[in-house]
Every structure is written in structure tokens, then in C-alpha cells.
Amino acid sequence: MAEKYNFISYLRAIAAIFVVLIHTSTGFLYHIDTNGFNWNYANWINAATRCSVPILVMISGYLLLHKNENTWTFYKTRLPKLIYPFIFWTIVYLIYYFYRYTNFETLSTEKIWSIILDKVLHGANAHLWYFYMIIGLYLAIPFLRKILIQSSTREIELFLVLWLISMCFTSKPLYSVMPKFDLTFFSGYIGYLVLGYYLSIKEFKFNMNALVFALIYILMVVIGANCTNLLNQDAKKTKHLLL
């Protein structure tokens, strides 16, 4: 069984490296210079690694949406693994924030608690958004599992199509030309969970070797990098192509 999921370990390692690369490259993109070497170099790295979080969420869907656990067992088993690191890193970044960006000795108790509350509610540091997202997904997994188990492959494919459409509806560059249908149920990272589950149950009848997948990946990187460059020609704030 362990050998069956060896590729998951490789994917996790790749995604972890990609997370580091996407964070190190993002800083350069804030200083928009679409003709500069540093900006374009960072843009290509960023485009090549933006799949990192989707890969991690798909892995969760691949592994967890099959588990036959009742809701409370799932919560007791899975949520502490997220909540404890979330609490730890929130405290670490709160301390860092007060040390780095404030004159702590001059702050009133009311102001300190106000800052703490805001940071806890909205993230003590920008990249902690992942905890808020993944905890929300884990809360949904037991219920999502019940839906997917009762769904046919065709129905899951329909869900994924609606999910892709919902991403267009909620895309800021397309907001002015898209109708305001409420596709909230299909939107967000929940689609990657379902996609991970779908890939685990779908038997593909066509043969695609590693070279074909590599070419598809390269094509997506080229599209992402070039479109991001075009979107930012006259931008004052970095814009990304949502893929």
C-alpha cells in the first residue's frame, strides 16, 4: 500500500519546493517593470510554481475523500494537525509583528488587543492564508465525501465543469462582463479537492507518457507568464492570470 502512494510523496516534495519558490519570486513582482530582467525572471518562476497550492489541495482530496470515517472521528483526527500549527505560527508572527513594526511599549492595552484580534481574524502574516483555507476545506470534507460517494463519474465531471465556470464568474478581470449568478457552492479551492478525488477514481483509457504531461505543463507556464506580462504592462499593482 505504501508503494502505491510513493508518487504522492514526490508530489508533496515538489509542491513544497514550489511554495518556497513562489514566495521568493513574488517580492520581485511587486516592483512592476515588465521590461526588466529581475521582474521577468521572477514572473517565469512564479508562473511555473503557482500550481503548488492546487497540487497540495488535490493530494488532500485524493487521499481523504476515500476514507470511511464518521464526521466527528475525522474532525478529531485531522483538525488538530492543522489547528496546533496554526496557533503556533500565529503567535510567532504576532510577536514578530509587535517587535518589527510597532513601538510596543507605547501601545495601550486596548490597542494591543485590537491588533491581536485583527491579526487572528485575518492572518498574522500574509502566507498564513493557507491555514484559513485548508481548515475550511477540512470542515467540509466529511459532507463532501457523502455527496461524492453517491455521485456518478459524469456528475462529478459536471461539478468540475461548473467549478471552472464559477472561476470565470469570480475572476476580477472578467467581472464586468460576467453575469452575477451565485455559484459559490462550486467556487474556490473545493474544486481542487473534487479534482483530486476524481483523478483517483477515473480510469483513463488513453496512454499519455511523461513527455506529454511535461509539454502540457510547459505550455501552461508559457501562457501564464506571457499573459501576466501583458496584464501588467500599465498596471500599478501586480495582476496574475487565474489558471
Side-chain angles (χ1 to χ4, degrees):
M1 181 64 71
E3 293 182 358
K4 179 181 177 182
Y5 293 115
N6 275 346
F7 75 96
I8 293 292
S9 298
Y10 299 140
L11 275 177
R12 280 177 173 155
I14 292 170
I17 294 171
F18 278 11
V19 167
V20 174
L21 289 174
I22 199 170
H23 280 282
T24 53
S25 64
T26 298
F28 290 94
L29 296 180
Y30 289 147
H31 307 287
I32 300 175
D33 179 11
T34 55
N35 296 315
F37 173 80
N38 285 345
W39 192 93
N40 279 285
Y41 184 65
N43 180 35
W44 281 95
I45 293 176
N46 201 270
T49 56
R50 291 189 71 80
C51 59
S52 55
V53 172
I55 289 174
L56 292 172
V57 177
M58 287 168 62
I59 290 173
S60 294
Y62 188 99
L63 296 176
L64 297 180
L65 287 171
H66 286 285
K67 291 189 176 294
N68 186 22
E69 297 174 329
N70 66 53
T71 302
W72 300 115
T73 300
F74 179 86
Y75 285 168
K76 287 188 293 184
T77 304
R78 309 293 171 184
L79 287 181
K81 296 178 181 179
L82 296 174
I83 292 174
Y84 294 153
F86 167 70
I87 293 173
F88 174 79
W89 287 110
T90 295
I91 293 172
V92 167
Y93 280 107
L94 276 172
I95 294 171
Y96 174 76
Y97 175 82
F98 282 115
Y99 175 78
R100 178 69 174 80
Y101 296 107
T102 72
N103 186 356
F104 185 76
E105 293 79 5
T106 64
L107 295 177
S108 65
T109 302
E110 181 181 356
K111 183 62 176 178
I112 291 171
W113 282 111
S114 175
I115 292 172
I116 290 174
L117 179 61
D118 179 67
K119 294 295 181 182
V120 170
L121 291 177
H122 305 110
N125 197 273
H127 60 266
L128 293 186
W129 72 269
Y130 182 83
F131 278 111
Y132 293 83
M133 179 272 292
I134 200 68
I135 289 172
L137 291 184
Y138 270 51
L139 289 173
I141 282 177
F143 306 99
L144 185 59
R145 180 194 299 126
K146 297 178 187 297
I147 295 173
L148 294 175
I149 288 175
Q150 299 299 321
S151 300
S152 67
T153 303
R154 287 293 185 186
E155 288 171 330
I156 295 173
E157 289 170 349
L158 176 59
F159 179 97
L160 291 171
V161 169
L162 291 171
W163 167 60
L164 289 172
I165 293 172
S166 76
M167 292 176 70
C168 294
F169 279 28
T170 56
S171 173
K172 289 183 179 179
L174 299 176
Y175 182 79
S176 61
V177 296
M178 298 299 290
K180 295 184 179 180
F181 294 128
D182 186 356
L183 296 180
T184 308
F185 177 77
F186 301 98
S187 63
Y189 281 89
I190 195 169
Y192 292 113
L193 275 181
V194 177
L195 180 56
Y197 174 81
Y198 172 74
L199 293 176
S200 73
I201 65 169
K202 178 68 174 179
E203 293 184 5
F204 296 97
K205 296 181 180 179
F206 54 88
N207 294 319
M208 296 181 68
N209 58 35
L211 179 60
V212 175
F213 284 111
L215 290 174
I216 293 173
Y217 169 71
I218 292 172
L219 176 62
M220 298 305 294
V221 172
V222 170
I223 292 173
N226 282 287
C227 289
T228 298
N229 187 296
L230 290 173
L231 284 171
N232 287 278
Q233 288 295 318
D234 300 311
K236 295 182 179 179
K237 185 176 180 181
T238 306
K239 301 176 182 178
H240 294 289
L241 176 67
L242 298 178
L243 295 175

